[in-house]
Amino acid sequence: MRFLKITKWELKNTLSSKKFITIIILQFGLLILMMSFFNMFIGSIESEDGISLSPSLSKFASIDVSDNNSFIITNLNKEVLDIRLVDYNNSLKRLRDGKTTAIIVSPENPREKIESFQTINIDLYINSEDPKQSVVLNEVNSTLEALSTSISDEWINSLIPPEKIVDPEVKEEKKGEFLPLQIIKKMMIAILLFLPLFLFGNMVVDSIVGEKERKTGEIIIAMPLSHSDIIMGKNLAIILIIALQTAIWIITLLIAGFNIKNPQLVYLIVLLTSVPIIGITSVIATYSKNYKEAEIGLSLVYIIMVGFLIIPALAYISTRSLSSNISPMTLVMRIFSGEAISGVDFIIPIFSILMVSLISFWTSIKLFKRDDMVFGPRPNLIRIIMDFLGIKKREFK
Amino acid sequence: MIKISSLSKYFGKIHALDNLDLEINKGELLGIIGPNGAGKTTAIRIICGILKPDSGDVVVNGYSVLKDPIMVKSMIGYLPEEPNLYERFKARDLLRYFGELYGVPKDNLNNRINELLELVGMENRAEHRINTFSKGLRQRIAIARALIHDPQIIIFDEPTMGLDPATSLAIRGFIENLKGEKTIVLCTHYMDEADTLCDRVAILNGGKVRDMGTPEYLKAKIHGDIILEIKIQNQNIDTEKIHSLSSVESVNLNGKNLSISLSSKQEISDILRLIGNNMISINTKEPSLEDVFIHSIK
Ligand SMILES: Nc1ncnc2c1ncn2[C@@H]1O[C@H](COP(=O)(O)OP(=O)(O)O)[C@@H](O)[C@H]1O
Ligand SMILES: [Mg+2]
């Protein structure tokens, strides 16, 4: 229990230091900023106007439509195209004068033709010198595709008795535009939840590398404490601070209106995830000679760790593969979006968290026990690994 | 009390300690003197359980530092070479922090802190932050910190290095006060400091003890080199004749300074007669620990 004394003092010092308070406020500012940015982003995606990621595209090209039966005109994208209903002869003149990019001509009585299984032709005249032609071509193609799908759906539905169509048991699989929106939304919440975990690396570095840089390690190690007391005591203090901040952060997200189901469980898993992250950071800190080295190490390892969290989560959304459960982020995502989770789903992420935590803290303590890690000269990595494996160096005499 | 046996330590290829043997008795003040790089700090760090030796062991009060490091550490108060303290702490909080970690009982701690602050003359700076302290004040607080758990053994590594003469004197005073009561190891490269304070002195060089004993014993060992330093008016001196005296080992005339090395004091009056009233002043220089040191590391 000696390490609790270290924890107590580390907490006391950290919580009362001005530097820490400033960092926490800055972190919070950053998180709030990201949150409002995400909110805005989602807002604009969900808005009635649909996705208008490039506002400059609105009314980008003009098209003349000759369509007496309103067969096509209602389906064309009014956001992008400037649509004008004109008669055929008049439009041809406009096309030649470069006043419009294209003309689309709908056939006479299209619906009757469809019902009698006749092919219908839609003519598109394009000004081939106009650079906007490709946009028009795209728009027209997708409109026609949508049109033909809806016509065939309509026809198929007309063959089935109406009571068979409405089946409350069968959930409609959302596809098309909705999937990316779902992904973006889930990923954003997941990132917002896990992001704070990566903001504490500097505190671990300060707490461990600081002892080397300020040469205070000597008086700490001279105290009647074991090396593991020191490492665990210091890291526990930081995990407790993370526990505090993550709690405040989740409450903030809930207040801000983010839809997080089962927030207690989400909190617990996010917090558990901090343990291996702090463990790995601690390994880097015990190995590093100075702040600079530690920071380079942290940047590299954090990229890998963020990848380890995010990539399986993305894979889960797109393929639902079970192996993506290895990332706690996947688990958290499933919990906060209200999916039914069974006990088995917890096994893989919890096991991976435990293993990484155990190995990293063990390594960190082992490294810290080596006096050459604190006082130098630091041996090379191969030497250290060989020592771990118990391979002795040849004695030189 | 402390038994160091065949201690070796390498730093990469540097052989800092080479089969070091040393025994420190209970209640004595042992000085370890030696030039920079002799291995003093390394030896001390191993005693304190901070460094691990490549071979050998240190037994403190029956506990091996390799097998029971925590037990050994709790018996030792250690003042490192550089008084690096936690800058952001206030002096009193620093002492409280270390007091708690050393397991000083809560109800004793406040008294102990006040006592120590008074001892090192820092009562009025107790609520100031360490980062506002000069080197001398830091060293005072560092000494108080080393004593917080009232250890039986105190180890000082170069306690007066780089300090002004007044602070050095004060610190030597603290050490003098502890003498007799505690077992003390004092590492220094100031020979006069070791000479005035220590019961016994070990001369360390190249990671080995070259000689060891009381300062008097060590000085007597190289006795004979009594040096007469005489200032003269003019160089009209028959150095040949002085040299022919049996106890004279060497004569050196350097401007108006005549320096004569003698193996005994018997013929001093003969020498003085030879110089006559050419002499302005005379000074005898007895061997210092410094001479012993230079002699023993030759
Ligand atoms: N951490 C270290 N890394 C490399 N060399 C060291 C280290 N500590 C001490 N040494 C070397 O070991 C020798 C003894 O050093 P030290 O014990 O500090 O001597 P002293 O305290 O007597 O001045 C010196 O040559 C020194 O350079
Ligand atoms: Mg030294």
Side-chain angles (χ1 to χ4, degrees), chain A residues 375-377, chain B residues 11 14 16 34-43 45 81 157-158:
Chain A
F375 300 96
Chain B
F11 292 107
I14 299 171
N36 289 326
K40 304 183 294 293
T41 301
T42 306
R45 282 179 170 170
E81 196 165 344
D157 193 356
E158 312 259 11

Side-chain angles (χ1 to χ4, degrees), chain B residues 99-294:
Chain B
E100 278 188 25
L101 288 173
Y102 272 110
V104 178
K106 271 238 160 76
D107 27 335
N108 279 356
L109 190 54
N110 275 332
N111 285 339
R112 180 79 190 142
I113 290 171
N114 289 332
E115 231 175 83
L116 287 169
L117 285 169
E118 200 183 316
L119 177 83
V120 296
M122 297 273 297
E123 313 95 304
N124 54 345
R125 305 296 296 264
E127 307 305 332
H128 293 212
R129 283 183 195 280
I130 309 278
N131 56 18
T132 65
F133 289 174
S134 68
K135 190 163 183 209
L137 293 181
R138 275 165 213 248
Q139 191 68 312
R140 285 167 190 262
I141 282 298
I143 290 174
R145 187 208 67 84
L147 300 177
I148 189 77
H149 54 305
D150 197 17
Q152 310 167 40
I153 300 164
I154 307 164
I155 299 181
F156 296 101
D157 193 356
E158 312 259 11
T160 59
M161 193 172 60
L163 298 178
D164 64 276
T167 309
S168 298
L169 207 66
I171 285 172
R172 283 178 197 146
F174 305 148
I175 298 173
E176 190 113 52
N177 281 340
L178 295 165
K179 196 175 161 178
E181 216 180 301
K182 309 278 181 191
T183 305
I184 303 174
V185 179
L186 170 65
C187 266
T188 181
H189 65 260
Y190 296 123
M191 306 298 165
D192 49 338
E193 185 172 291
D195 200 349
T196 51
L197 288 172
C198 299
D199 298 319
R200 282 197 309 155
V201 172
I203 297 169
L204 195 70
N205 195 30
K208 261 194 160 95
V209 174
R210 303 291 162 172
D211 212 341
M212 183 155 168
T214 62
E216 292 70 34
Y217 162 80
L218 291 171
K219 285 186 277 189
K221 242 176 110 175
I222 60 155
H223 87 100
D225 288 16
I226 297 169
I227 294 161
L228 287 184
E229 283 175 338
I230 300 168
K231 270 214 160 80
I232 48 175
Q233 279 176 344
N234 55 59
Q235 298 201 334
N236 224 343
I237 296 270
D238 191 351
T239 50
E240 292 295 313
K241 210 164 199 172
I242 296 173
H243 209 285
S244 67
L245 293 169
S246 62
S247 66
V248 174
E249 291 188 338
S250 69
V251 181
N252 252 318
L253 184 59
N254 188 1
K256 290 184 174 175
N257 292 319
L258 180 68
S259 148
I260 305 166
S261 188
L262 302 168
S263 60
S264 80
K265 294 180 181 173
Q266 271 141 19
E267 289 172 315
I268 290 182
S269 52
D270 299 325
I271 296 169
L272 294 185
R273 212 169 307 124
L274 282 171
I275 300 170
N277 51 13
N278 197 352
M279 179 168 66
I280 300 171
S281 72
I282 180 164
N283 212 348
T284 48
K285 203 176 139 223
E286 304 239 2
S288 66
L289 215 46
E290 193 147 351
D291 302 313
V292 175
F293 175 71
I294 291 164

Side-chain angles (χ1 to χ4, degrees), chain A residues 71-228:
Chain A
F71 179 58
I72 298 172
I73 191 160
T74 46
N75 292 299
L76 282 169
N77 188 346
K78 295 175 193 68
E79 273 293 303
V80 177
L81 299 175
D82 186 10
I83 301 165
R84 213 176 282 253
L85 195 59
V86 217
D87 80 66
Y88 179 63
N89 292 328
N90 211 342
S91 336
L92 268 181
K93 189 174 177 304
R94 279 165 52 78
L95 186 69
R96 275 192 213 98
D97 296 348
K99 285 188 177 141
T100 183
T101 312
I103 311 169
I104 190 163
V105 184
S106 159
E108 295 290 319
N109 307 325
R111 294 186 192 277
E112 284 149 34
K113 282 188 178 161
I114 291 168
E115 272 153 30
S116 56
F117 298 104
Q118 286 180 43
T119 331
I120 52 173
N121 287 319
I122 291 168
D123 298 325
L124 181 68
Y125 300 87
I126 283 186
N127 177 357
S128 59
E129 258 136 51
D130 192 331
K132 293 173 188 168
Q133 55 160 311
S134 65
V135 175
V136 176
L137 207 58
N138 255 338
E139 283 299 328
V140 171
N141 273 340
S142 54
T143 305
L144 292 185
E145 217 165 277
L147 194 58
S148 84
T149 316
S150 84
I151 290 168
S152 51
D153 280 357
E154 206 175 292
W155 182 75
I156 291 167
N157 286 344
S158 69
L159 300 180
I160 307 168
E163 57 268 32
K164 281 248 172 95
I165 304 172
V166 190
D167 186 354
E169 293 296 301
V170 178
K171 246 215 213 132
E172 195 183 338
E173 181 71 25
K174 285 163 183 136
K175 61 176 199 177
E177 304 250 298
F178 200 63
L179 183 62
L181 180 63
Q182 234 182 359
I183 294 177
I184 292 168
K185 238 172 144 177
K186 279 188 181 178
M187 282 314 295
M188 279 177 183
I189 298 179
I191 289 170
L192 283 176
L193 283 171
F194 281 90
L195 189 73
L197 301 187
F198 291 94
L199 299 177
F200 288 90
N202 277 327
M203 280 179 60
V204 179
V205 168
D206 200 47
S207 164
I208 295 174
V209 182
E211 301 278 358
K212 301 185 201 181
E213 285 245 322
R214 283 179 249 121
K215 302 214 165 67
T216 44
E218 197 172 357
I219 45 179
I220 286 280
I221 297 173
M223 278 195 286
L225 299 165
S226 68
H227 290 77
S228 49

